[in-house]
Amino acid sequence: YACQLDWPTNDVPECSIWDDLRNGIYAYYGYPFKKAEWRTKFASFYKENPAFSEASLSPAAARNIALFKKMGEERTGCM
């Protein structure tokens, strides 16, 4: 099986995964995205909240956003 892998691309995600995960959380809370790319990507559940504020995030969501941002900046676990 290991010989069939196109290493490292089959098991290591692209670093954009951290942006996707972070913005998925923001989309859940209705963050008003400036880029249409994010509104489109999460169109199945995204509903903009014009009154969005960072204070509306749950503590777990805020921690995960910070973690995903840091991992993206450090290029942790991705290529």
Side-chain angles (χ1 to χ4, degrees), residues 24-44:
I25 297 170
Y26 276 124
Y28 177 81
Y29 283 89
Y31 178 87
F33 292 112
K34 293 177 183 145
K35 293 183 179 179
E37 164 193 1
W38 297 116
R39 292 188 299 271
T40 302
K41 181 170 268 203
F42 303 113
S44 66

Side-chain angles (χ1 to χ4, degrees), residues 13 16 20 23 33 36 38-39 42-45 51 53 55 66 68 72 79:
S16 63
D20 292 348
N23 284 316
F33 292 112
W38 297 116
R39 292 188 299 271
F42 303 113
S44 66
F45 67 91
S53 76
F68 296 150
M79 57 180 227

